[in-house]
Amino acid sequence: MADIITIPVCLDNRSYDILIGKGLIEQAGIQISTRFNVRSVAVITDENVAKLHLAALRHALETSNMRVVPIIIPAGEKSKSFEMLETVVRQILAAKLERGDLVIAFGGGVVGDLAGFAASIARRGMPFVQIPTSLLAQVDSSVGGKTGINTFEGKNLVGAFYQPQLVLVDTKALSTLPLREFRAGYAEMAKYGLIENSDFFEFLEKNWREVFARTDKLDSAIATSCRAKAAVVARDEHESGDRALLNLGHTFGHALEAFVGYDSARLVHGEGVSIGMVMAHKFSNYMNHLGHAEVLRVEAHLHDVGLPTKISHIKGSKPDVETLLGFMAQDKKVINGKMTFILTTGIGRSFIAKDVPTSAVESFLKTEI
Ligand SMILES: NC(=O)c1ccc[n+]([C@@H]2O[C@H](COP(=O)([O-])OP(=O)(O)OC[C@H]3O[C@@H](n4cnc5c(N)ncnc54)[C@H](O)[C@@H]3O)[C@@H](O)[C@H]2O)c1
Ligand SMILES: [Zn+2]
C-alpha cells in the first residue's frame, strides 16, 4: 500500500479526515471498522461503478464483518431526483438499517449528492462516508457536506448541508474513469487555481499531460485540490461568505446544464463549469476587472486539455439569452435587478461581486450567443 495523505476538514464536532491514496477501496473495511461501530452498511452506487468496483468494496467490508446492502441506481445526472431519493431511502428502511448504521456513497458526484441527502433524512440522519470514484467527486463534491437533488426549476435547489464522517479517495479507481469524465473533473481542479492559487494553475499548465497520464502528479494535484476545498469549507461551512468563490463559473455552467435538460450526452457538469469559467473570465473582462490576455490564457489551457470552452461547443440547439437568464435568476437570487457573481481580477484572484446588474449580464450574453 502506497503512502496515504491525510487532510483534516476542521468543523468543530463535525470534523473529519479525507484520506488520499492508492488501494483505499481494498482498505475500506479496516479504515471504517477502526472508526465506526457498525454492523450494516448501505452502499449506494451507480450501475457503472457497481460493475467495475463494487465487488472489491463489498469484499473489503464483509471481511471486516459488516453486512453490505448494495443500492444501485442508474448512472447520470437524472438520478438526482425526488423519485430516486424516495427509492434509495425506502431501500435503506426496507433493509432494516438502524440509525447508527452507515450509509456509504460509492461513485461520482451524482451518487454522493443523492446518497448524502438520503443519509441526512433516513431515520432523521445516519452516519455517512464518501468513497468518491470520479475525479470530480474526489476533488470537489465528496468534501464539504453539500448534498441534494435537482428539480425542473434548476440544479441542487433541494438538499441539505450534511457532512460525511470520513472521505476515502482511492486514486487507483480513476484508472477506469472514461477520458471525458476525467476532463470534467479536471475542470473543477483547475478551478482551485483560478480562484486563489495561481501557482497551482501554473503547475497544471506545465504538468497536465502527466496528470492525465495518472502519474503521482495526479495524486498531488488531488491533494492540493482537497486542501483548498477543506480550507474554504472550514472558513465558511454554510456559504454565508467565502465559500461562494467555489461557484466560479457555476452560474453560467448551471444555466447551460439546465438548458440541455441535464442530458449528459450533450453536457456533463464539469464541461458546463469549463465553459462557465471561461465565460466568468470574459465577463470579468467585460466589466473591466480583468485583462484580455488572462482570458485567453484560461481559455487556452482548458482548450488544450480537450474541454469545451464556448457555448457553441455544445452539440444541438443553441440557447437564447432570455432562457439562460431565466435559469441564472433561479440559481442566483435577483434583488432589485442585481445578481451575485464570482468575478476575477487575475488568475488566482477571484472575488464575490454582489451587485452585478442583470442588464450587464444580459448584454454580455448577447455577445456570447
Ligand atoms: N456537493 C458538491 O459540493 C458538489 C460539487 C461539485 C459537483 N457536484 C455534483 O456532482 C455531480 C457531477 O459529478 P460527476 O461528474 O462525478 O458525475 P457522475 O456521478 O455522473 O459520474 C460521472 C460518470 O462517471 C462514472 N464513473 C464514476 N466513477 C467511475 C470510475 N471509477 N470508473 C468508471 N466510471 C466511473 C459514473 O458512472 C458516471 O457515468 C453533479 O450533479 C454536480 O452538481 C456536487
Ligand atoms: Zn461544480
Side-chain angles (χ1 to χ4, degrees), residues 140 188 191 250 269 273:
D140 190 354
E188 299 276 14
K191 182 184 78 179
H250 280 59
H269 176 74
V273 170

Side-chain angles (χ1 to χ4, degrees), residues 282-316:
K282 284 186 180 164
F283 188 43
S284 299
N285 173 257
Y286 187 85
M287 300 293 282
N288 295 318
H289 293 294
L290 181 74
H292 188 55
E294 274 159 313
V295 178
L296 293 179
R297 185 174 159 195
V298 172
E299 191 168 13
H301 179 56
L302 296 173
H303 175 79
D304 282 350
V305 307
L307 278 161
T309 54
K310 293 183 170 68
I311 292 179
S312 61
H313 292 161
I314 302 171
K315 288 193 195 83

Side-chain angles (χ1 to χ4, degrees), residues 33-112:
S33 61
T34 52
R35 289 174 172 80
F36 303 87
N37 184 18
V38 286
R39 263 178 288 177
S40 297
V41 181
V43 175
I44 300 163
T45 189
D46 74 20
E47 286 156 345
N48 299 335
V49 178
K51 263 186 227 128
L52 295 161
H53 301 286
L54 183 58
L57 179 63
R58 194 173 186 154
H59 178 73
L61 298 172
E62 286 175 350
T63 306
S64 290
N65 299 319
M66 285 172 240
R67 175 176 73 108
V68 176
V69 178
I71 299 176
I72 301 172
I73 64 168
E77 189 70 34
K78 290 209 161 89
S79 281
K80 273 175 60 172
S81 66
F82 271 119
E83 293 75 12
M84 203 53 69
L85 179 71
E86 180 180 358
T87 306
V88 167
V89 169
R90 292 193 59 189
Q91 286 189 57
I92 291 173
L93 299 178
K96 304 215 167 2
L97 270 87
E98 306 287 331
R99 200 170 180 179
D101 287 331
L102 194 65
V103 173
I104 297 182
F106 185 47
V110 165
V111 164

Side-chain angles (χ1 to χ4, degrees), residues 142-361:
S142 66
V143 175
K146 274 195 187 178
T147 73
I149 55 173
N150 307 323
T151 65
F152 173 77
E153 289 75 14
K155 262 188 75 96
N156 302 330
L157 294 177
V158 177
F161 283 98
Y162 195 66
Q163 297 292 343
Q165 297 186 4
L166 177 68
V167 182
L168 297 177
V169 175
D170 186 344
T171 56
K172 214 171 71 178
L174 298 177
S175 62
T176 58
L177 190 70
L179 177 60
R180 184 175 173 211
E181 296 298 345
F182 190 91
R183 282 192 184 118
Y186 186 91
E188 299 276 14
M189 210 151 73
K191 182 184 78 179
Y192 296 111
L194 295 174
I195 291 171
E196 60 176 9
N197 188 342
S198 59
D199 289 349
F200 184 49
F201 190 74
E202 211 177 308
F203 168 90
L204 292 174
E205 283 177 316
K206 286 201 184 109
N207 296 292
W208 68 267
R209 286 184 181 79
E210 283 186 62
V211 169
F212 272 75
R214 302 168 203 205
T215 67
D216 286 349
K217 290 244 162 61
L218 171 60
D219 292 42
S220 119
I222 291 173
T224 303
S225 303
C226 286
R227 269 189 210 103
K229 176 107 192 219
V232 173
V233 169
R235 286 202 299 265
D236 175 23
E237 183 180 6
H238 294 124
E239 200 169 314
S240 43
D242 253 20
R243 184 167 178 167
L245 293 174
L246 296 172
N247 296 332
L248 176 70
H250 280 59
T251 302
F252 291 121
H254 283 167
L256 295 172
E257 282 186 274
F259 165 70
V260 301
Y262 308 112
D263 177 358
S264 49
R266 293 182 67 191
L267 194 74
V268 294
H269 176 74
E271 292 170 340
V273 170
S274 174
I275 298 173
M277 288 193 304
V278 174
M279 287 176 77
H281 281 74
K282 284 186 180 164
F283 188 43
S284 299
N285 173 257
Y286 187 85
M287 300 293 282
N288 295 318
H289 293 294
L290 181 74
H292 188 55
E294 274 159 313
V295 178
L296 293 179
R297 185 174 159 195
V298 172
E299 191 168 13
H301 179 56
L302 296 173
H303 175 79
D304 282 350
V305 307
L307 278 161
T309 54
K310 293 183 170 68
I311 292 179
S312 61
H313 292 161
I314 302 171
K315 288 193 195 83
S317 60
K318 295 288 163 274
D320 56 54
V321 171
E322 212 171 292
T323 309
L324 279 190
L325 268 180
F327 284 125
M328 285 162 75
Q330 189 62 252
D331 196 56
K332 288 274 163 291
K333 262 186 252 139
V334 179
I335 302 165
N336 296 332
K338 308 251 164 107
M339 295 168 91
T340 297
F341 260 86
I342 310 306
L343 299 179
T344 181
T345 62
I347 287 167
R349 294 205 306 266
S350 66
F351 68 98
I352 303 169
K354 287 219 161 102
D355 49 4
V356 175
T358 324
S359 55
V361 183

